[in-house]
Structures are given as C-alpha cells and as structure tokens.
Amino acid sequence: MPGLLRGVARTAVIAGTATSVSNRVSRRQAGRWARQDAEQAQAQQAPAAPPPPAPAPLAPEDEMSNKIAQLKELGDLKSQGVLSESEFEAQKARILAP
C-alpha cells in the first residue's frame, strides 16, 4: 500500500506542476496578444490633429504685462515654498529671455 500511495502522490505533484506551468504560459501568451492588439489599434488610429497655430505676436505693452503677471505668479510660488531659489532663477531667466 505505501508504494501505491507514493505513486499517487508523485502523480498529483507532477500534475499540479504541469497545470501551474501551463497556466503561466497561457497568461504570458494572453499578455503578448493583448499588447500586440493594443499596438495594432494604436497604429490604425487616425493621425492626431495638427497642433493649433501659434498665437499672433503680442503688442509690446501686452507682452510686458504678460511677463509681469508670470513673474508675479512665479514669486508667489517661490514664497509658498513650491519653487526653490535655483528653480525660481531658471524660470525667471526663461520668462525674461527675448
């Protein structure tokens, strides 16, 4: 009887391992197919709309008031602690660049 029990246990372990491996392979294949389907769907989508046209250049006084507003907002962010000194200086230089 112990030999029969050992044979049955061995068969159960082998069957369980085979089932586990089979399930893992199936999940991996399903993931690959899902990625392929997503890539194909993305490739088939219509091309994106063209970007909006660049805004018309502002009058010098409008441009200056726009820069002043940006600088005030930047100063507020710095005073609130959102921006560090180096970040503040970098953004200020970007705003003030011609």
Side-chain angles (χ1 to χ4, degrees), residues 4-19:
L4 179 62
L5 191 57
R6 190 175 321 154
V8 169
R10 184 177 298 151
T11 302
V13 168
I14 292 171
T17 303
T19 302

Side-chain angles (χ1 to χ4, degrees), residues 28-40:
R28 194 176 303 152
Q29 285 177 339
R32 284 183 189 148
W33 292 336
R35 281 193 303 273
Q36 286 175 350
D37 289 345
E39 289 171 1
Q40 287 176 353

Side-chain angles (χ1 to χ4, degrees), residues 71 73-93:
L71 289 171
E73 184 177 342
L74 198 62
D76 290 341
L77 291 174
K78 183 181 172 229
S79 66
Q80 293 171 6
V82 176
L83 294 177
S84 67
E85 181 67 31
S86 61
E87 293 171 325
F88 172 77
E89 292 299 326
Q91 291 299 320
K92 183 173 96 173

Side-chain angles (χ1 to χ4, degrees), residues 60-78:
E61 53 276 347
D62 290 339
E63 187 175 338
M64 184 56 68
S65 63
N66 189 17
K67 285 184 179 186
I68 291 172
Q70 289 177 341
L71 289 171
K72 284 181 181 177
E73 184 177 342
L74 198 62
D76 290 341
L77 291 174
K78 183 181 172 229

